[in-house]
Amino acid sequence: MSVILVTGMPGAGKTTLVRKLGEELQNRGHVVGGFFTEEVRDRLTGERSGFDIVTFSGQRAALARVDAKRTTNSPKVGRYTVCLAEFEALALPAMERHGRELLIVDEIGKMELKSRPFSVRMEAIVEQLAAGHGPLIATIPLKATGVAVIDRLQHIAGRQLFHVKPSNREQIYGDILDAAMACASNGGR
């Protein structure tokens, strides 16, 4: 098994789960690459003003902002402007294997897929996974049908799909950790 996919509704706990998973794997001596997302909140109002990506080595960059003063051709998702340059400068190097045992990507979603280089990198990762190189742990939207890279990930032999809900997120964490440890111990095969 080389692919572990985590899905669920927004707010179900996918990001919290994979962040905790990455930290636990690092504490157990595994080399983890990739990133997770975090909400950014306005300090005065407490309202969500965007999203950052954070690598498992602690680097941070903007993914999207409500008030982003970007060029008029900057892509938007809902009320958010995607900060392509900042995202790509951090996410793409974090997704390189370079001796990393596990790659975690949170998430393969609308904002991230606005980046053509991210999409190309994900396609290359899918090719590696299909050839038996891995593993990958990724969060995907619950309703991701018709997204080519996600469809291809879902069809890789041996992939595992975990559906996180508020009612099962504590229990399912152990199941995902066990699956990730199995992937790490056999190199994703």
Side-chain angles (χ1 to χ4, degrees):
M1 135 197 65
S2 62
V3 179
I4 298 170
L5 299 176
V6 180
T7 192
M9 294 294 291
K14 299 180 301 290
T15 294
T16 301
L17 192 144
V18 296
R19 182 182 69 231
K20 182 178 169 184
L21 182 67
E23 292 166 356
E24 175 71 20
L25 291 166
Q26 286 179 315
N27 289 339
R28 293 182 183 207
H30 296 283
V31 182
V32 177
F35 61 88
F36 57 91
T37 58
E38 280 190 350
E39 287 185 347
V40 175
R41 298 220 169 245
D42 184 280
R43 292 177 194 226
L44 298 175
T45 66
E47 291 181 24
R48 185 168 62 195
S49 60
F51 297 92
D52 280 353
I53 65 163
V54 183
T55 67
F56 287 96
S57 61
Q59 298 172 292
R60 175 181 297 270
L63 170 59
R65 294 290 188 269
V66 170
D67 62 351
K69 292 175 178 58
R70 308 281 182 237
T71 63
T72 55
N73 61 356
S74 293
K76 293 189 74 91
V77 174
R79 65 187 190 122
Y80 299 100
T81 301
V82 180
C83 306
L84 286 178
E86 295 93 328
F87 169 69
E88 291 168 356
L90 187 57
L92 297 177
M95 293 169 65
E96 291 293 332
R97 291 258 179 222
H98 299 299
R100 296 173 175 143
E101 296 173 69
L102 295 154
L103 181 59
I104 299 176
V105 178
D106 173 46
E107 84 178 65
I108 305 170
K110 288 180 183 178
M111 289 182 189
E112 295 83 1
L113 290 169
K114 293 292 184 183
S115 164
R116 179 75 180 130
F118 174 83
S119 297
V120 168
R121 179 70 47 85
M122 282 306 310
E123 288 293 340
I125 289 169
V126 169
E127 291 299 321
Q128 293 169 353
L129 292 165
H133 304 287
L136 171 71
I137 301 167
T139 63
I140 59 173
L142 186 59
K143 297 177 183 179
T145 54
V147 179
V149 70
I150 294 173
D151 289 344
R152 289 186 64 211
L153 281 170
Q154 295 219 45
H155 288 94
I156 290 178
R159 73 100 175 109
Q160 292 187 43
L161 178 66
F162 294 90
H163 186 158
V164 178
K165 303 173 188 174
S167 62
N168 75 352
R169 65 179 161 215
E170 295 303 319
Q171 176 271 328
I172 207 168
Y173 173 76
D175 296 341
I176 297 171
L177 178 60
D178 289 346
M181 292 297 295
C183 278
S185 66
N186 67 17
R189 292 180 189 10

